[in-house]
Amino acid sequence: MNTLKDITRPVFPFTAIVGQEEMKLALILNVIDPKIGGVMIMGDRGTGKSTTIRAIADLLPQIEVVEDDLFNSHTSDYEVMSDYVKKKVEDGDQISTEFINVPMIDLPLGATEDRVCGTIDIEKALNEGIKTFEPGLLAKANRGILYVDEVNLLDDHLVDILLDSAASGWNTVEREGISVRHPARFVLVGSGNPEEGELRPQLLDRFGMHAEIRTVKEPSLRVKIVEQRSKFDSNPYACIKEFQLKQEELKSKILSAQQRLAQVNIDYELRVKISEVCGALDVDGLRGDIVTNRAARAFAAYQQEDNVTIHHIRQVIILCLRHRLRKDPLETIDSGVKVEQVVSQVFQ
């Protein structure tokens, strides 16, 4: 008999989502290569941002983790392994593993720093000499996806912590001279509505990609989206079954892209062109160059190709650069269009 714990809430199939190609591509590429640095999704209310993000997590193949480990530790990769598991591996101890769904962690808007980073029980440490760590959301999100809705309303200090952990892959908690460090490698996905305020430029720049989504204007497409949603709401399991084959195809495509990624090559001439575009757009720092290179390689792997071409770069470069341009209040042209113009000149 199924207990309440076993009954999972049905998730809208990723392949059933109509339109919003930019957001879907950005999420897929970050899943193929988490080092791209996450996605910031800005767009109107009610455009399916949350639905799409939950759907991508549901689509991913299960991961193997060390059993009863608080940090979803990997069994052989030191980068995503807690110190306790590392010690067991080095001592040659037997490690039992289990397969779990890719963690999808929602960060609530009112979350405190302790809730995000975790806490150290000082009393226990001082009285009993035991270092007791109560893991936070960053620990739970290791090797998964951390989703922050309305990221532009989140306290800047917390956004800083999230971005630091996402970039370094580690979270360190220090209290009264006691320090605990654990792996926290996750895909950071933030979403927001531009009407509710922008993110500070230096925080925006830390997101690998920036997808913009607009409400669909075409009546026939709108009808299709509404029908799809109604169909799912009235009978979710039938809808999931209908898209099962497409889901499996996409799942295996992502898996083979993850495996192929290491051997994808990007020519020196193309790397120079990418940097030329960044220079012409006056992009501060080198993050834009690095992310565009990574995203182009991930896209080539997704297309099952071993060499990056101009086509791959053109598909991803706007997503990687549009949020890194300096804001000019008198500028009337959209930043995406500006990137497109420079790309056209450089890649003639």
Side-chain angles (χ1 to χ4, degrees):
M1 194 182 113
N2 276 351
T3 62
L4 274 175
K5 191 170 175 281
D6 297 327
I7 300 167
T8 52
R9 200 168 123 221
V11 177
F12 195 82
F14 188 81
T15 48
I17 294 163
V18 179
Q20 310 303 12
E21 299 306 322
E22 201 175 271
M23 166 168 61
K24 291 196 286 197
L25 179 65
L27 288 168
I28 287 170
L29 295 183
N30 270 275
V31 162
I32 292 169
D33 182 4
K35 287 184 178 170
I36 286 172
V39 195
M40 177 69 195
I41 299 165
M42 275 296 196
D44 307 329
R45 289 182 295 274
T47 43
K49 297 190 286 283
S50 304
T51 303
T52 310
I53 292 152
R54 288 194 176 84
I56 188 88
D58 188 57
L59 177 74
L60 300 175
Q62 289 193 318
I63 54 170
E64 188 178 9
V65 300
V66 175
E67 211 172 349
D68 298 329
D69 181 71
L70 298 170
F71 311 107
N72 308 323
S73 288
H74 197 282
T75 51
S76 57
D77 184 353
Y78 269 36
E79 289 291 300
V80 277
M81 194 188 282
S82 66
D83 292 340
Y84 170 70
V85 175
K86 256 183 220 169
K87 191 172 183 327
K88 283 185 84 165
V89 170
E90 281 159 8
D91 294 348
D93 292 352
Q94 185 68 39
I95 290 172
S96 49
T97 64
E98 60 180 334
F99 281 88
I100 62 163
N101 291 334
V102 169
M104 161 76 197
I105 305 297
D106 265 307
L107 185 96
L109 254 186
T112 58
E113 188 179 333
D114 282 356
R115 177 88 180 88
V116 174
C117 300
T119 52
I120 297 167
D121 189 335
I122 291 297
E123 219 170 295
K124 214 167 191 176
L126 295 175
N127 296 340
E128 300 170 37
I130 302 167
K131 200 192 271 187
T132 310
F133 179 64
E134 187 61 49
L137 295 173
L138 293 181
K140 292 189 173 82
N142 188 35
R143 299 178 66 200
I145 294 171
L146 182 66
Y147 173 46
V148 190
D149 195 10
E150 309 292 2
V151 69
N152 41 347
L153 301 180
L154 196 67
D155 182 49
D156 278 351
H157 167 60
L158 275 182
V159 179
D160 260 334
I161 290 172
L162 294 179
L163 289 162
D164 278 341
S165 295
S168 67
W170 290 87
N171 172 43
T172 306
V173 182
E174 293 196 3
R175 268 191 76 194
E176 320 289 337
I178 297 168
S179 174
V180 172
R181 196 173 94 106
H182 70 78
R185 179 165 295 174
F186 48 83
V187 175
L188 180 63
V189 182
S191 71
N193 180 352
E195 290 170 14
E196 287 158 357
E198 290 285 344
L199 258 189
R200 293 206 323 262
Q202 58 269 48
L203 291 179
L204 246 186
D205 175 61
R206 302 269 293 277
F207 279 93
M209 299 176 118
H210 186 285
E212 281 182 9
I213 50 177
R214 299 272 168 266
T215 307
V216 177
K217 295 282 187 279
E218 197 185 313
S220 58
L221 254 186
R222 288 175 81 120
V223 169
K224 195 177 175 191
I225 294 167
V226 173
E227 279 176 354
Q228 201 76 283
R229 186 73 231 190
S230 307
K231 208 192 313 182
F232 178 79
D233 289 341
S234 60
N235 190 346
Y237 295 102
C239 184
I240 288 168
K241 197 165 181 218
E242 185 190 331
F243 284 92
Q244 199 170 353
L245 194 64
K246 279 187 175 175
Q247 292 279 95
E248 291 302 327
E249 280 171 10
L250 184 54
K251 197 183 273 192
S252 63
K253 203 174 167 189
I254 288 171
L255 249 178
S256 75
Q258 287 171 335
Q259 288 154 4
R260 184 187 289 266
L261 184 65
Q263 69 222 39
V264 175
N265 176 50
I266 177 163
D267 285 342
Y268 176 74
E269 290 77 19
L270 290 178
R271 296 203 298 269
V272 170
K273 294 263 190 220
I274 288 170
S275 292
E276 209 179 305
V277 171
C278 293
L281 287 165
D282 211 9
V283 172
D284 289 331
L286 294 171
R287 218 175 251 133
D289 310 48
I290 294 165
V291 170
T292 307
N293 276 283
R294 277 196 178 283
R297 288 181 63 235
F299 187 57
Y302 180 58
Q303 300 271 296
Q304 294 162 352
E305 290 174 37
D306 289 332
N307 291 299
V308 173
T309 64
I310 291 174
H311 162 71
H312 299 133
I313 295 168
R314 292 191 87 128
Q315 287 292 315
V316 301
I317 198 161
I318 293 177
L319 284 165
C320 299
L321 297 183
R322 65 148 64 96
H323 56 303
R324 302 179 200 278
L325 307 193
R326 290 183 183 176
K327 286 273 184 285
D328 179 356
L330 302 174
E331 190 82 80
T332 51
I333 183 172
D334 174 69
S335 54
V337 176
K338 202 171 172 184
V339 175
E340 181 59 51
Q341 287 174 351
V342 173
V343 168
S344 296
Q345 286 162 16
V346 173
F347 287 101
Q348 267 174 1

